[in-house]
Amino acid sequence: KFPSTPGTYSVLRRLAGIAEGNEVTSKTPLECNQEFLNAISFRKGCYLGQELTARSQFLGVIRKRIVPVMIVDTEIEVPKPWIMASMIQDLNEEDGLEKIFGEEGKQMELRGYIPPPLPKISASGAGSIVSMMMGSIALSEDDVGSDENSQDIVGSTEQQKEELEQLQHSGAQLQSEIAELATLGSSIVDKKDGKTIGKVVSGPAPGTSLILAQMRLDRLGLLGQKEKWSKTNKVLIGNSDKEYRFLPYLPLWWPEIDSETGKEKIADDLNVEDELESL
């Protein structure tokens, strides 16, 4: 449960991956995921930019979208959802899901289910992960032994406290660094080839290192087959020489993305000409 305090909306909005205001300026509605929020009609108008928006939807390829991204230190252990995502993206055509999920993978394939190439996470789920990585958790009183034979428990708890304090210290330092570097328009550059793979559209949510960024879908493993997202990635942000790792995720309200178009994947092909004529 998130506390009702000033700034909660700002945090939840970013955790949910929703951009607003000047964050969506000079971008097409589709790059801002507005069609996923039912904010665009492709059957009626008129509105400014309708022709470009419609042609992008029915004829074009969406190569960039605004996504929520967690920025972490390269030394931190990558959370399991992203380890699994990296394994899924590394699967070859001849590999099956059984290689990752065992017998359950076989059942997935029989049902025709394909796991998303990136973790799909709710705002509350993302908030829990961020809290753990930032050390924003506390040991309960039950964790502290109270009887005479609880010395081992107490010793273990003291060690946990020390580890938690270290995590909180490194988390606070990371938050400070990202708040200074990840400003509107700052570039996210992939260290492996020096190419810009994204632009920051919203700085970190208060108390976190989570940002909103307009990212190239191919570099997230969401468009085409050439590029993949890797759990061992290293990026530079803004004008800093320090390396960070970026952990993108798909908001729960996103539909399945077509890897050929960057748009919502639909079972039946649309009659493009009929749709365009109806505008």
Side-chain angles (χ1 to χ4, degrees):
K1 182 179 179 180
F2 289 93
S4 179
T5 58
T8 299
Y9 166 77
S10 181
V11 175
L12 287 175
R13 180 177 67 81
R14 288 175 174 83
L15 289 170
I18 300 175
E20 67 176 17
N22 66 349
E23 299 167 1
V24 300
T25 301
S26 302
K27 300 171 185 65
T28 69
L30 303 187
E31 290 176 338
C32 302
N33 313 312
Q34 293 298 296
E35 79 276 35
F36 299 162
L37 294 168
N38 296 320
I40 307 172
S41 172
F42 296 108
R43 296 182 177 276
K44 62 182 180 180
C46 296
Y47 55 84
L48 189 63
Q50 180 186 13
E51 183 177 351
L52 173 61
T53 301
R55 289 191 178 278
S56 297
Q57 171 68 9
F58 297 120
L59 299 175
V61 174
I62 309 303
R63 302 188 183 280
K64 297 178 290 183
R65 285 190 181 274
I66 293 177
V67 298
V69 178
M70 298 181 192
I71 305 296
V72 299
D73 191 275
T74 55
E75 300 299 320
I76 197 171
E77 182 179 354
V78 176
K80 186 175 180 180
W82 284 272
I83 293 177
M84 300 299 292
S86 188
M87 292 173 66
I88 290 171
Q89 293 204 22
D90 282 339
L91 282 176
N92 297 317
E93 290 185 4
E94 59 271 17
D95 292 331
L97 294 176
E98 183 183 4
K99 183 176 180 180
I100 300 176
F101 301 101
E103 185 61 32
E104 185 179 351
K106 280 186 178 181
Q107 298 302 317
M108 290 180 183
E109 292 177 342
L110 290 174
R111 296 195 306 268
Y113 173 73
I114 301 177
L118 288 176
K120 201 163 190 179
I121 308 175
S122 66
S124 58
S128 297
I129 294 173
V130 169
S131 295
M132 287 189 289
M133 291 196 300
M134 295 293 106
S136 302
I137 52 178
L139 294 174
S140 67
E141 292 182 0
D142 293 336
D143 292 328
V144 181
S146 56
D147 57 54
E148 296 179 357
N149 299 318
S150 61
Q151 292 302 313
D152 291 340
I153 298 178
V154 172
S156 176
T157 302
E158 289 301 322
Q159 183 179 358
Q160 290 177 354
K161 286 182 178 179
E162 290 180 9
E163 292 174 351
L164 180 59
E165 289 174 358
Q166 292 176 359
L167 187 59
Q168 290 172 338
H169 175 74
S170 60
Q173 183 177 347
L174 177 65
Q175 291 173 35
S176 177
E177 292 173 359
I178 300 306
E180 182 178 348
L181 295 172
T183 56
L184 180 63
S186 296
S187 297
I188 301 175
V189 178
D190 196 328
K191 276 285 290 183
K192 72 178 182 181
D193 57 12
K195 291 185 178 180
T196 298
I197 61 173
K199 293 276 188 179
V200 177
V201 302
S202 176
T208 77
S209 62
L210 179 125
I211 64 173
L212 295 181
Q214 186 181 40
M215 302 293 296
R216 285 176 48 179
L217 295 185
D218 60 334
R219 292 303 185 109
L220 303 183
L222 297 177
L223 184 66
Q225 304 297 326
K226 185 178 179 180
E227 301 286 351
K228 298 177 181 178
W229 177 85
S230 170
K231 68 179 185 295
T232 59
N233 71 79
K234 293 180 180 179
V235 296
L236 302 177
I237 301 175
N239 57 4
S240 174
D241 292 330
K242 182 176 179 179
E243 297 176 350
Y244 296 95
R245 184 155 291 140
F246 77 105
L247 307 179
Y249 63 92
L250 306 178
L252 204 57
W253 48 272
W254 274 37
E256 184 179 355
I257 301 298
D258 191 321
S259 62
E260 294 183 0
T261 65
K263 293 175 283 196
E264 179 178 358
K265 189 172 185 178
I266 0 183
D268 299 321
D269 294 331
L270 290 173
N271 187 321
V272 175
E273 292 184 0
D274 289 348
E275 292 291 346
L276 288 174
E277 289 174 1
S278 69
L279 296 174

